[in-house]
Amino acid sequence: MAERAKRARLIYNPTSGREEMKKRLPEILQRLERGGLETSTHATIGEGDATLAAAEAVERGFDLIIAAGGDGTLYEVINGMAEKENRPPLGILPLGTTNDFARALNIPRNWEGAVDVILRQHARSIDVGKVNQRYFINIAGGGSMTELTYEVPSKLKTMIGQMAYYMKGLEKLPRLRPIEVYIRTPEVELHEEVMLFLISNSNSVGGFERLAPDASLSDGLFDVLILRKCNLAEFIRVVSLALRGEHLNDPHVIYLQTKHIQVTSPDYVQLNLDGEFGGTLPCIFTNLPQHLRIFVDETGQTTYKNNNPLNLMNLWKPKTGDDNEHEDE
């Protein structure tokens, strides 16, 4: 008896990637079908719809789910899957304006290469972050600069891509203000005035590919970066260091790894979860070790957007002893 074709549910944002998905959908479905996947589609119609679609796909027993769009679509799909007991593996088609997590996984930016990664069905288990009753897969943060991703209008992102974030960032720089936070982990307790805090699962955040250079996607730990109160010139200097991956030794930067972190503040502080608004403080962040399986290139040598190979395999390696170092390029 012939083995039945695997059933896939493709959840996509029809407005992502400057209408690329709408144009490419027939070719994507044809390529998936030729690869043995019986694929049905769900086009999202508004905020939260991808979460509902992903939850329904899990309940209906699909063999795999594919998220096609940007980080916002991926965030919603994760939130539809993470609570479920029997979670199928997830494929990613990075067709949005920003694709930080796909970049961290080194999933190809071109849709043909990304589809081929899904068809080979080589899955890796990755950590997922939980904050209160929401989930994130790449980054959580608070502070005025972390509000950029959900303050930039969708139309502007579609028109000029990631440049929209830089423009908004320059606009906000003169108005940067510190926030007072209390941070508690099993390892430390801190009371600081900070410009921002970031709780990262990967090494790729907002185009900064060395922001958390020792991050592992499967070690059960968050990489936490806290920027202490500083003036505008000091802030710009730290950002320039971060572009080169040389910021962790700066006196304004606090860096630690932990599996559990509680953050409170007397100030009104909004949270950014994978580029989306995630509520406000207070909150508790918990790392769910190897909670979700994602299709990746089994060799670890797939390129994302250019020809610089990334040693992806080190992202999965738990950090022990002298194993903390890995090459980023």
Side-chain angles (χ1 to χ4, degrees):
M1 177 180 275
E3 183 180 353
R4 74 167 178 87
K6 287 190 175 182
R7 294 191 308 137
R9 170 55 61 93
L10 173 63
I11 301 169
Y12 71 97
N13 181 347
T15 64
S16 281
R18 304 181 187 180
E19 304 299 322
E20 180 179 0
M21 188 64 197
K22 183 181 287 188
K23 292 190 302 182
R24 297 299 184 188
L25 184 59
E27 296 173 273
I28 290 172
L29 292 176
Q30 186 179 56
R31 198 178 187 96
L32 289 169
E33 184 178 359
R34 287 202 304 264
L37 294 182
E38 184 182 294
T39 307
S40 62
T41 64
H42 179 97
T44 60
I45 57 175
E47 184 178 352
D49 190 48
T51 296
L52 297 175
E56 179 193 32
V58 176
E59 293 294 336
R60 290 178 57 185
F62 278 87
D63 297 298
L64 63 142
I65 295 173
I66 302 169
D71 290 327
T73 302
L74 181 59
Y75 167 75
E76 288 199 8
V77 169
I78 294 299
N79 274 270
M81 299 176 65
E83 286 277 5
K84 304 299 183 182
E85 185 174 351
N86 298 311
R87 299 174 296 277
L90 175 66
I92 300 174
L93 297 180
L95 302 177
T97 305
T98 60
N99 305 281
D100 271 336
F101 195 70
R103 187 189 303 273
L105 289 172
N106 223 14
I107 292 172
R109 181 65 175 92
N110 65 83
W111 69 267
E112 296 98 331
V115 168
D116 288 345
V117 167
I118 294 169
L119 290 177
R120 290 196 292 271
Q121 297 185 42
H122 182 81
R124 292 276 189 171
S125 296
I126 66 157
D127 304 337
V128 172
K130 182 176 183 180
V131 50
N132 297 345
Q133 297 306 310
R134 298 175 188 246
Y135 298 86
F136 64 97
I137 200 169
N138 192 43
I139 186 73
S144 55
M145 287 303 289
T146 67
E147 297 165 11
L148 287 179
T149 48
Y150 49 81
E151 284 188 353
V152 176
S154 297
K155 188 173 182 179
L156 186 61
K157 286 190 287 186
T158 301
M159 290 172 58
I160 61 176
Q162 191 145 347
M163 182 61 68
Y165 296 108
Y166 301 140
M167 291 170 59
K168 190 69 176 181
L170 290 173
E171 176 188 315
K172 289 181 71 76
L173 276 178
R175 305 198 307 271
L176 284 179
R177 296 292 183 271
I179 57 175
E180 182 182 2
V181 294
Y182 295 84
I183 293 177
R184 176 180 294 178
T185 78
E187 298 83 12
V188 299
E189 291 189 22
L190 300 170
H191 175 205
E192 295 274 351
E193 283 192 287
V194 307
M195 308 307 290
L196 59 85
F197 64 89
L198 299 173
I199 299 168
S200 179
N201 194 33
S202 84
N203 64 349
S204 178
V205 181
F208 290 78
E209 296 184 11
R210 295 168 178 255
L211 199 62
D214 290 332
S216 166
L217 290 165
S218 59
D219 62 355
L221 296 172
F222 294 127
D223 286 62
V224 181
L225 293 106
I226 303 163
L227 179 60
R228 288 187 169 108
K229 178 181 178 180
C230 58
N231 60 37
L232 181 58
E234 291 167 336
F235 180 85
I236 293 173
R237 180 177 56 80
V238 172
V239 170
S240 66
L241 289 173
L243 286 169
R244 304 193 299 270
E246 299 172 359
H247 55 296
L248 296 187
N249 293 323
D250 189 276
H252 288 96
V253 176
I254 301 171
Y255 169 72
L256 59 98
Q257 291 181 312
T258 188
K259 61 182 180 181
H260 185 88
I261 179 169
Q262 179 180 355
V263 185
T264 61
S265 176
D267 301 321
Y268 176 79
V269 181
Q270 296 181 345
L271 294 176
N272 182 316
L273 304 180
D274 288 339
E276 303 298 314
F277 175 69
T280 60
L281 294 182
C283 59
I284 296 174
F285 301 85
T286 303
N287 189 293
L288 305 179
Q290 302 187 24
H291 191 70
L292 192 66
R293 289 177 298 147
I294 292 188
F295 293 125
V296 299
D297 178 64
E298 62 271 30
T299 68
Q301 296 302 313
T302 301
T303 57
Y304 175 74
K305 193 174 181 181
N306 52 39
N307 294 320
N308 294 328
L310 185 72
N311 188 0
L312 177 61
M313 305 310 289
N314 284 291
L315 287 175
W316 314 106
K317 186 168 61 176
K319 303 296 190 292
T320 56
D322 294 328
D323 291 336
N324 285 349
E325 296 183 359
H326 67 269
E327 296 178 2
D328 291 283
E329 295 184 320

